Amino acid sequence: MVHVYNCHPFASQHIVPTEQEPGLVCSGGGALFVVSAGGCKIEAYQMKEDQCPLICRFSTMGTVRSIRHSLTGDYLVTIEEKNNATYLRAYTNWRYQAVEKTRVGVRLLGHFLRGSSFRGAPKEQMEIIEIPLFEPPLCVACCPLTGDLLVGCSKSLVVFNLKKQTLSEQLDVLDFERVLILHLTDYSPSQVAFCGGYVALQTELEILVVKLQQMETRSLVADESSQLPADILAAADLVEDDMKKEPLSPHEPGDFFMFPKHLELLGDEAKDCGISVSLEWTGMDTEARNHMGVTYVLFRRFAPDFFQGCSVEETCLHSLQLHPMFTGNRDEGGDQRGREPSCMFCFFSLPNAGYMYSLKNTVELISTYQYPEKAHQAVFCDQFLYVITRNALQCFSVRCSAVAARVEDPYIDTTMKACPPFTMEVCGLRIQLFIGLKSLCHDGNHVVLLTAADVESKEESDRVARRAVSRKTSISSKPKDPNESGHGWNLYVINTVSTLQLYREMVEYSKRYEHSTPLSQNCIHLLSEAHLLLRAALLNPSSQDSEDRAQLQEAFQESCAQLGDCFSRLSKRDCHLALPYYKMSGLSVTEVIQRNMAMGSSSEVDYGSGFLFFLKHSLYEETMEELSEETANTVLDIFSKAEPGQLPHVVSSSFMMKASPACVLAHLEQLEAYGAPSVTVTLCKAAQALHLGDTQLYQQQMDRHAEMLQVYGFIEEPKLLLHGRGKAVVPTHLARHLHDTQDGLLVAAVVALHENSKVKLEEADLFFQELCKDTVENPSSPQLLVDFWEALLVASSQEVIIHELLFRLTSVYIDRITRRDRSGIHALKTADDLINSCSHYGLLFPWVSILTPVHFNITHDHQEDLQKLQSLLCGPTLDVSSILPLLEQLPDSDNAGLSIHVLCATKLRRHESSIERLLDRCPQAIMPYANHELQNEKLALWWQKLFPELCMRTRLSSGENSVLLAALKETLVVLAMELNPLEFLDLLPDDGTAHFFLPHLLECTQRKILT
């Protein structure tokens, strides 16, 4: 379906003062080229000036059958006939004819590629380049990005690269190099298009689009038919003949013609279309030849059909066009050569319908245009589709900017940004009546029309003329002179209105629907069309340096606000789009509220779902400004009427801080009166009581629920404790009060928030650091933050979080033990509490208790930190290797440091060094250490390390060290139990003290005899 409006995209028109009847017309670079009806003369007119003055005229070498202009290189290419032969020629430097320099040079293709034969100074002259071909040319196209040529022949396509040679500062000479031949099997194009490596071919009822690109070697090997040497191509005809020799079905007699079915193949499926395209590289760059390949992009086949005003025989395709669109960096301005377009569109048309496809990324049909009558020609551009019928110029909207916006900005179709969908139905903006339209072309802000009235249809022409006079038109022109219109044909240049002017007209037009039916889809559709119009203008690189760009951006934000207003009033469908459109409008939340309040009646305002959706997200995302008291109270009234259940979340927002506490309490009391008691509502009332300074009411509300239930209330609304996200976390007034009165509840609540993914670990750190910044503690790790880490370690099951907390707690414990400068602040949990409640804290090993007994010579606070650190090292989780750098700041000069170092060495399986350290510093702990650690695979260390060390140290002490002597005797008991007599005997020293070991040797022997 096509929406039809009566806008005025055309501003004025001029009649081009041609002396002879035009035969062919084309335009480009601000110039209009007119081929006389005889076909042997070309006139160029300046379209950017009033009355379209003549630039120059020059003769051609033959009768022109087709003409195209290339903006890159500013040259013309023609297909000409002379003496029953067809030629392809390019006309370069044609503007020199404007200064009456009649010298014209004629040369063959490749003249300058092989070296210039000019002698003397370079000549400023128009040049005609003859381009020889093996087959007669049928059609031609120029790439708008590179200026390259694509020539369509009966069995092949030929690609020519544009070459530029600078002879002087003012003079450039162009040339062409034939680089590629695309051989087609049983496919003769009637029209071609060429842009950015995409090649589009059109026959009567089929469209094929392929892409020429550099491909990987392995893909070319897999598809060797994509490029064939020249000597093999001749053999391909034999294969083609075999393919054609298919037996006819008995149900297909020769006097019937079977039409093919409709067929659409997109992307990789297009290679199954049955049309073979093989490449023959003819350029001088041999490296490119080895990597050039062809990719099938799109194939569409239509079946002939009847429709009003067109017979089956007249059903054929026309107006094939490839259209690029650029986004992103606009610093390059209008220079698009060498840039990769962000989007590529393909347009083609039947007499009754037009089709626009997007070719890049995903190949898909974007728009279908249903024409009200038979279309003769169509031209596609960034903002509009122009179509001519027999007696009307029609202007349709396009969806290029909707596709390009999604390519340029990944935030489109999120809560951040929005854009009308490219699947939205297109609309007809204008149907402008003309008589006898024959041809159409477009360039920039100009539309060129060629009209020629038929003498036989004078009555019909008079009738159309009368309709044109009686109908309001957008084109104001002076009455035609009889001499101008007497010849029966005219050539018009129609100037289109500016984007801003048309946008404002469409906005005014939409207000008609708004007044009649406020929620009309026509109103939203027209505003969406206006929005896409502005997007297309902003994406246009040529408007980068325009003075109107700031006005376009201002109008764009205004358009976003208008769309936000429309979607804010919707109940269900698309109401969520109010949020991104309001965000893009640049309006503050206060301004949005005022706009929506003004849209309702004075007595009763019906708030739309979109407006409420916007308000809720703005409050929850914390992306808005702080509201004034009046606006905040208005927000309370809105939610109290529309969604009272959201009040606890609304009043907890940081942007509602200026709302009247008494007003907030009144709304919460009303909510509680109509609903079941809620912990969250109670906590909100307690927070408001603190704002009022009413401690009695605060305590009354806090006493209504147990602490565990209050934790659930904080989970439901985290903003009761903290505002902001990321690095901007700020504790609330309630959180500061809980810090002073119920720090255990505060820690439990933040742990619950973290475990329910309401707060990140880094945000919780900042929260407690901000909360305790005025205390005398270490600002980086105050005790309340350490309490939170310990409580979170008990509750968390995430491996990453557990290892991070273990590292942080170890760092804090080591730092405190080293500095010993705490100020008597007690932790929420003791070491015993953590050992009993957390699996990551282990029971202290017996030998650790000997090194640092409970009443060790250290302050009580540090005794707790020491025991917690020892307990972590005795636990199963802590990875000691991760904390080795931290141990460098902890000396082992006392038993506290010694215990930590020995624990770490033991967990790293360095038992030998640990035995030596204990024997040197605390031999009383060696036997408890050995009994606990030297087990299983470490049992051999009893006789390999411990026994020799004890023997040596006892001998050095002359046996007077009772501790060493007792340890030696206990070790001998273990050896007598674990070794056989011969192994025991080999361990005995030979220093004359054998009598000391004989009892243990006897015991070992007796045990051996018994076993």
Side-chain angles (χ1 to χ4, degrees):
M1 175 182 177
V2 177
H3 294 257
V4 180
Y5 303 106
N6 189 25
C7 297
H8 300 81
F10 308 123
S12 61
Q13 71 183 33
H14 302 288
I15 297 179
V16 181
T18 57
E19 296 180 356
Q20 298 180 354
E21 180 179 357
L24 299 173
V25 294
C26 77
S27 59
L32 170 63
F33 304 94
V34 181
V35 181
S36 61
C40 295
K41 182 179 291 186
I42 298 177
E43 296 177 340
Y45 295 90
Q46 180 61 264
M47 290 194 296
K48 295 182 179 180
E49 297 181 16
D50 293 340
Q51 307 306 321
C52 300
L54 178 70
I55 300 176
C56 64
R57 62 168 56 95
F58 52 89
S59 299
T60 60
M61 299 181 67
T63 302
V64 178
R65 299 304 182 193
S66 176
I67 183 171
R68 294 287 185 272
H69 175 266
S70 173
L71 182 61
T72 303
D74 192 22
Y75 67 88
L76 291 168
V77 59
T78 62
I79 297 177
E80 303 177 12
E81 281 187 8
K82 188 173 185 180
N83 299 328
N84 295 324
T86 307
Y87 301 91
L88 181 68
R89 297 186 174 102
Y91 293 78
T92 66
N93 295 333
W94 55 269
R95 293 183 187 270
Y96 287 131
Q97 298 297 99
V99 291
E100 299 181 358
K101 292 191 175 181
T102 58
R103 178 186 292 130
V104 177
V106 181
R107 58 184 173 86
L108 283 174
L109 168 87
H111 178 76
F112 282 99
L113 295 178
R114 294 187 295 269
S116 175
S117 62
F118 272 144
R119 296 180 181 178
K123 302 177 179 65
E124 295 182 353
Q125 62 182 10
M126 183 180 81
E127 291 190 326
I128 304 175
I129 303 175
E130 292 276 357
I131 303 177
L133 295 165
F134 291 108
E135 299 178 90
L138 301 177
C139 47
V140 65
C142 304
C143 176
L145 307 183
T146 61
D148 296 343
L149 271 180
L150 176 70
V151 183
C153 304
S154 60
K155 294 183 180 179
S156 63
L157 304 174
V158 187
V159 178
F160 296 88
N161 275 1
L162 175 66
K163 302 293 182 180
K164 180 179 179 181
Q165 183 174 345
T166 301
L167 299 182
S168 66
E169 293 182 0
Q170 292 82 21
L171 181 60
D172 292 328
V173 178
L174 303 181
D175 209 339
F176 297 92
E177 177 191 4
R178 188 183 68 177
V179 294
L180 189 64
I181 300 176
L182 288 79
H183 294 274
L184 309 174
T185 58
D186 195 22
Y187 199 84
S188 181
S190 60
Q191 190 174 353
V192 292
F194 189 35
C195 183
Y198 288 89
V199 175
L201 300 84
Q202 171 189 299
T203 61
E204 284 190 358
L205 293 171
E206 291 182 348
I207 292 290
L208 174 65
V209 181
V210 298
K211 185 177 183 184
L212 307 175
Q213 58 186 357
Q214 299 293 326
M215 305 180 72
E216 297 181 4
T217 305
R218 60 176 180 271
S219 63
L220 292 174
V221 172
D223 186 12
E224 296 178 354
S225 64
S226 63
Q227 178 155 352
L228 298 175
D231 55 347
I232 299 179
L233 289 172
D237 293 336
L238 300 176
V239 180
E240 293 174 20
D241 294 338
D242 292 339
M243 295 174 62
K244 295 176 184 176
K245 294 176 182 177
E246 296 181 357
L248 290 175
S249 168
H251 301 289
E252 298 177 5
D255 55 346
F256 285 91
F257 183 81
M258 304 301 293
F259 288 115
K261 294 181 179 179
H262 285 285
L263 181 63
E264 182 186 52
L265 300 175
L266 306 179
D268 293 337
E269 296 179 353
K271 65 179 181 293
D272 300 326
C273 63
I275 302 172
S276 175
V277 180
S278 56
L279 305 184
E280 179 187 355
W281 182 260
T282 60
M284 293 183 287
D285 188 355
T286 56
E287 183 178 354
R289 176 187 187 276
N290 298 328
H291 297 88
M292 181 64 68
V294 61
T295 302
Y296 288 81
V297 179
L298 167 66
F299 178 78
R300 183 78 188 263
R301 177 192 296 148
F302 297 89
D305 198 2
F306 289 99
F307 70 95
Q308 184 178 4
C310 186
S311 64
V312 173
E313 291 76 11
E314 294 176 319
T315 304
C316 62
L317 292 164
H318 61 80
S319 304
L320 176 65
Q321 188 176 347
L322 289 173
H323 183 74
M325 197 162 188
F326 295 86
T327 62
N329 183 17
R330 301 185 180 88
D331 294 337
E332 302 175 20
D335 187 10
Q336 300 167 357
R337 181 158 186 168
R339 289 181 59 195
E340 180 75 13
S342 303
C343 303
M344 183 67 69
F345 302 99
C346 178
F347 176 82
F348 49 87
S349 181
L350 286 169
N352 64 328
Y355 303 88
M356 193 262 279
Y357 282 83
S358 174
L359 303 181
K360 291 204 72 172
N361 301 322
T362 302
V363 183
E364 58 184 323
L365 177 64
I366 301 299
S367 302
T368 300
Y369 297 87
Q370 298 294 334
Y371 306 139
E373 54 183 319
K374 179 182 175 182
H376 295 311
Q377 191 179 354
V379 174
F380 185 81
C381 61
D382 283 351
Q383 293 179 312
F384 303 109
L385 171 68
Y386 300 105
V387 179
I388 58 170
T389 62
R390 183 179 181 182
N391 294 310
L393 168 64
Q394 302 174 10
C395 178
F396 296 90
S397 62
V398 297
R399 298 289 173 261
C400 296
S401 57
V403 176
R406 287 165 171 83
V407 173
E408 181 186 38
D409 195 339
Y411 290 101
I412 296 290
D413 298 327
T414 67
T415 58
M416 300 296 295
K417 295 181 181 180
C419 178
F422 55 78
T423 55
M424 184 176 67
E425 296 173 343
V426 295
C427 76
L429 295 176
R430 184 72 178 173
I431 298 179
Q432 186 70 45
L433 297 180
F434 284 87
I435 299 176
L437 287 171
K438 299 297 182 183
S439 181
L440 163 72
C441 60
H442 168 268
D443 180 50
N445 297 325
H446 310 283
V447 178
V448 180
L449 297 176
L450 173 60
T451 65
D454 295 331
V455 178
E456 294 78 12
S457 59
K458 185 175 185 303
E459 294 182 0
E460 182 180 353
S461 300
D462 292 341
R463 177 176 54 83
V464 173
R466 287 194 298 270
R467 287 172 55 199
V469 170
S470 62
R471 182 173 180 173
K472 179 182 177 182
T473 67
S474 63
I475 301 178
S476 58
S477 60
K478 63 182 181 180
K480 301 180 182 127
D481 189 271
N483 295 329
E484 292 178 347
S485 57
H487 43 58
W489 53 264
N490 271 313
L491 186 61
Y492 298 96
V493 173
I494 300 176
N495 301 319
T496 59
V497 301
S498 67
T499 300
L500 285 173
Q501 182 178 340
L502 182 57
Y503 160 74
R504 294 189 180 102
E505 182 189 0
M506 295 171 75
V507 171
E508 290 297 322
Y509 202 128
S510 69
K511 292 180 180 178
R512 303 179 192 175
Y513 296 106
E514 185 178 4
H515 293 322
S516 58
T517 51
L519 299 181
S520 168
Q521 287 297 322
N522 284 332
C523 177
I524 297 177
H525 185 273
L526 195 53
L527 287 176
S528 298
E529 293 286 3
H531 181 87
L532 291 177
L533 195 69
L534 293 173
R535 275 192 180 273
L538 289 171
L539 287 171
N540 187 2
S542 63
S543 66
Q544 175 64 25
D545 298 328
S546 174
E547 297 179 357
D548 295 336
R549 187 163 187 84
Q551 297 181 10
L552 284 172
Q553 188 63 41
E554 182 181 351
F556 178 79
Q557 290 184 328
E558 176 189 319
S559 171
C560 292
Q562 291 164 348
L563 285 171
D565 292 341
C566 289
F567 289 113
S568 69
R569 287 172 286 176
L570 295 181
S571 297
K572 293 181 180 179
R573 182 184 175 186
D574 297 331
C575 66
H576 64 281
L577 294 176
L579 175 63
Y581 278 119
Y582 275 141
K583 284 185 176 180
M584 294 191 299
S585 70
L587 296 174
S588 65
V589 175
T590 301
E591 291 171 328
V592 172
I593 293 173
Q594 292 171 351
R595 290 171 72 99
N596 280 269
M597 296 297 289
M599 284 188 288
S601 62
S602 57
S603 58
E604 184 67 27
V605 180
D606 184 17
Y607 306 110
S609 299
F611 175 54
L612 295 174
F613 183 82
F614 165 78
L615 273 185
K616 284 188 289 186
H617 272 264
S618 299
L619 290 168
Y620 299 162
E621 293 177 359
E622 301 187 345
T623 56
M624 56 187 281
E625 75 281 1
E626 186 173 352
L627 303 179
S628 64
E629 180 178 356
E630 180 183 358
T631 306
N633 291 338
T634 301
V635 172
L636 288 175
D637 293 336
I638 292 172
F639 280 99
S640 183
K641 296 176 183 177
E643 292 189 32
Q646 296 294 325
L647 276 175
H649 309 292
V650 172
V651 301
S652 301
S653 173
S654 59
F655 309 107
M656 299 288 291
M657 297 297 294
K658 292 183 180 179
S660 169
C663 180
V664 173
L665 278 173
H667 283 290
L668 293 175
E669 290 284 358
Q670 183 181 0
L671 174 63
E672 216 170 27
Y674 289 103
S678 167
V679 179
T680 307
V681 174
T682 302
L683 292 174
C684 290
K685 292 171 66 177
Q688 295 303 317
L690 285 179
H691 285 298
L692 287 172
D694 191 342
T695 56
Q696 182 178 358
L697 178 59
Y698 165 80
Q699 197 60 47
Q700 178 185 348
Q701 297 298 325
M702 295 298 288
D703 291 341
R704 292 177 59 182
H705 303 285
E707 285 193 356
M708 183 56 68
L709 292 178
Q710 291 175 350
V711 169
Y712 287 120
F714 288 123
I715 294 174
E716 187 175 347
E717 185 43 72
K719 292 184 180 65
L720 286 167
L721 292 179
L722 52 90
H723 290 150
R725 303 293 292 177
K727 296 182 179 180
V729 174
V730 178
T732 64
H733 188 33
L734 177 59
R736 297 185 183 279
H737 187 76
L738 290 177
H739 174 221
D740 298 331
T741 58
Q742 291 177 278
D743 50 358
L745 173 61
L746 180 61
V747 169
V750 179
V751 170
L753 292 180
H754 180 273
E755 289 303 287
N756 286 274
S757 303
K758 303 288 186 179
V759 172
K760 297 179 181 179
L761 182 59
E762 294 75 12
E763 293 172 339
D765 293 344
L766 293 173
F767 170 77
F768 285 109
Q769 289 170 359
E770 179 69 21
L771 205 59
C772 304
K773 67 178 183 180
D774 296 330
T775 63
V776 296
E777 300 178 83
N778 184 357
S780 62
S781 55
Q783 181 56 50
L784 197 61
L785 176 58
V786 177
D787 291 333
F788 164 72
W789 290 343
E790 291 173 345
L792 184 58
L793 186 62
V794 175
S796 181
S797 59
Q798 303 178 45
E799 289 294 328
V800 176
I801 297 296
I802 289 172
H803 289 297
E804 176 67 20
L805 292 174
L806 288 173
F807 180 82
R808 293 184 181 188
L809 289 171
T810 303
S811 175
V812 170
Y813 296 152
I814 291 177
D815 182 65
R816 289 179 175 179
I817 295 169
T818 304
R819 291 188 296 108
R820 301 188 182 184
D821 58 352
R822 287 186 63 190
S823 54
I825 300 176
H826 295 284
L828 289 177
K829 289 184 179 290
T830 65
D832 291 336
D833 294 335
L834 293 173
I835 292 172
N836 293 329
S837 61
C838 183
S839 61
H840 306 297
Y841 287 86
L843 288 171
L844 298 185
F845 301 149
W847 59 270
V848 176
S849 300
I850 294 176
L851 277 173
T852 55
V854 176
H855 301 292
F856 187 61
N857 186 21
I858 189 172
T859 62
H860 175 73
D861 295 333
H862 294 97
Q863 180 74 33
E864 284 293 328
D865 292 327
L866 176 62
Q867 287 185 358
K868 289 178 181 179
L869 178 57
Q870 290 171 339
S871 179
L872 282 179
L873 291 170
C874 293
T877 311
L878 180 61
D879 180 14
V880 175
S881 61
S882 65
I883 65 168
L884 287 179
L886 303 176
L887 292 178
E888 296 178 0
Q889 61 177 310
L890 179 63
D892 61 352
S893 55
D894 58 2
N895 281 9
L898 177 64
S899 66
I900 302 303
H901 281 276
V902 174
L903 275 169
C904 291
T906 301
K907 294 203 73 170
L908 293 173
R909 308 179 73 82
R910 300 173 185 171
H911 295 82
E912 293 88 345
S913 61
S914 299
I915 290 173
E916 293 177 3
R917 277 189 172 186
L918 290 177
L919 287 174
D920 289 339
R921 301 282 300 280
C922 186
Q924 295 89 345
I926 189 59
M927 292 317 298
Y929 177 85
N931 288 325
H932 187 270
E933 301 293 343
L934 305 184
Q935 303 292 332
N936 301 321
E937 71 275 6
K938 295 298 179 182
L939 188 63
L941 290 178
W942 281 91
W943 52 86
Q944 292 176 359
K945 181 64 179 179
L946 181 57
F947 178 67
E949 286 287 339
L950 288 173
C951 289
M952 180 187 67
R953 294 172 187 271
T954 304
R955 187 185 308 112
L956 292 176
S957 66
S958 303
E960 296 179 358
N961 191 324
S962 59
V963 176
L964 292 175
L965 194 59
L968 180 57
K969 291 179 179 180
E970 191 171 346
T971 302
L972 286 171
V973 173
V974 175
L975 266 57
M977 294 178 62
E978 299 295 336
L979 301 178
N980 60 51
L982 290 178
E983 293 172 339
F984 191 98
L985 189 60
D986 288 340
L987 293 175
L988 298 182
D990 55 357
D991 56 356
T993 58
H995 63 280
F996 178 80
F997 302 98
L998 287 177
H1000 300 282
L1001 179 59
L1002 178 61
E1003 181 182 355
C1004 178
T1005 304
Q1006 290 174 348
R1007 182 173 288 105
K1008 179 65 175 176
I1009 294 173
L1010 292 175
T1011 57

